[in-house]
């Protein structure tokens, strides 16, 4: 990706999610002023060598200039969500975890004030880095419930 001044922009290929002609798209960040515009050129080529493939990425966890996320490898819970700019941990003890409960209500949960049923037991089946790039990382967490 090249901007109108000829500067090469950081970019990464991402899966399109489409079942069409284009299996991937190009992700880049455009910094535009209010009511402004910019012209960008997309030039074909190979993946930059400094972008790790998901298989080469380090253990699952994500960190940027602003945030750091750590996963509990045993439960799949988000064990830490640290705001580096505010120097503050945002997750309490136990972390943020997937919790399933039976819901016998209708689509809009009319007349439902709380879920009283027990949690549906499940198990964490691991995680994998799906995307690892200079602009975006994606981690897939896998859980099993019942059959």
């Amino acid at each position: 990706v090249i901007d109108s001044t000829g500067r090469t922009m950081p970019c990464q290929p991402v899966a399109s999610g489409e079942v069409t002609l284009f299996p991937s798209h190009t992700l880049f960040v455009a910094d535009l002023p209010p009511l402004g515009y910019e012209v960008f050129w997309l030039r074909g080529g190979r993946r930059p060598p400094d972008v790790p493939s998901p298989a080469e990425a380090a253990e699952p966890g994500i960190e940027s200039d602003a945030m750091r996320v750590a996963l509990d490898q045993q439960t799949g819970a988000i064990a830490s969500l640290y705001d580096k700019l505010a120097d503050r941990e945002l997750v309490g003890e136990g972390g943020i975890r997937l919790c399933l409960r039976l819901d016998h209500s209708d689509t809009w949960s009319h007349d439902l004030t709380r879920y009283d049923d027990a949690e549906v037991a499940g198990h964490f089946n691991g995680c994998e880095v799906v995307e690892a790039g200079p602009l975006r990382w994606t981690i897939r967490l896998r859980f099993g419930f019942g059959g």
Side-chain angles (χ1 to χ4, degrees):
V1 177
I2 300 169
D3 70 8
S4 61
T5 67
R7 182 175 60 123
T8 301
M9 306 286 294
C11 64
Q12 77 182 72
V14 296
S16 71
E18 299 174 12
V19 185
T20 63
L21 189 58
F22 306 104
S24 69
H25 292 298
T26 300
L27 174 70
F28 69 99
V29 177
D31 187 16
L32 302 175
L35 300 176
Y37 68 94
E38 175 64 274
V39 175
F40 297 95
W41 286 273
L42 300 177
R43 297 226 171 115
R46 299 195 188 285
R47 177 186 204 157
D50 60 336
V51 176
S53 71
E56 299 166 349
E59 70 180 57
I62 300 174
E63 185 168 356
S64 72
D65 294 340
M67 303 292 284
R68 181 175 55 241
V69 179
L71 300 175
D72 181 324
Q73 298 281 338
Q74 301 302 312
T75 66
I78 297 174
S80 173
L81 181 59
Y82 186 75
D83 183 338
K84 293 164 65 173
L85 301 177
D87 192 25
R88 179 175 157 201
E89 177 61 49
L90 303 174
V91 173
E93 189 173 329
I96 301 171
R97 62 183 181 81
L98 180 63
C99 174
L100 269 66
R101 295 187 184 271
L102 291 175
D103 179 0
H104 301 288
S105 65
D106 64 15
T107 305
W108 297 276
S109 298
H110 287 119
D111 299 320
L112 186 69
T113 58
R114 67 177 163 258
Y115 294 101
D116 289 329
D117 288 339
E119 249 182 68
V120 176
H123 56 280
F124 178 55
N125 292 333
C127 56
E128 64 182 308
V129 177
V130 177
E131 273 184 319
L135 301 175
R136 182 171 82 182
W137 279 56
T138 303
I139 296 177
R140 177 176 295 130
L141 304 175
R142 296 186 185 275
F143 295 87
F145 294 88

